[in-house]
Amino acid sequence: MTIEELKIKVEIALQEIRPYLEADGGNISLIDITNTTVKVQLEGACLGCSVNQMTLKNGVEATIKRHAPQIKSVIEVNGITF
């Protein structure tokens, strides 16, 4: 699978989880994919939310892995782009 195909799969996963984040005033953006790690940026209300790491692990990471099983981890980059 090419990196472009992988990005498409990850974006599909993010589109699936995005409505739940938007319902709470947040959002998420794909920043980069390096090897088996996806870097995302949480936005809006997600930034100050006390459960954002749980959302990232149980919601975002699980959804991405379902669409792209080769992904091993998802990290939040706190607004820093690479």
Side-chain angles (χ1 to χ4, degrees), residues 3-60:
I3 189 69
E4 288 306 314
E5 292 169 326
L6 187 57
K7 283 183 180 180
I8 290 168
K9 288 186 177 283
V10 170
E11 283 290 357
I12 289 168
L14 294 180
Q15 287 296 336
E16 185 177 311
I17 195 102
R18 188 168 279 121
Y20 301 102
L21 299 174
E22 289 174 340
D24 288 332
N27 205 345
I28 191 167
S29 296
L30 174 63
I31 300 301
D32 194 21
I33 300 174
T34 307
N35 299 320
T36 59
T37 301
V38 172
K39 296 174 184 167
V40 297
Q41 180 178 348
L42 293 172
E43 302 167 352
C46 290
L47 289 176
C49 180
S50 63
V51 295
N52 70 7
Q53 289 306 306
M54 186 176 74
T55 298
L56 189 66
K57 197 75 170 164
N58 297 333
V60 176

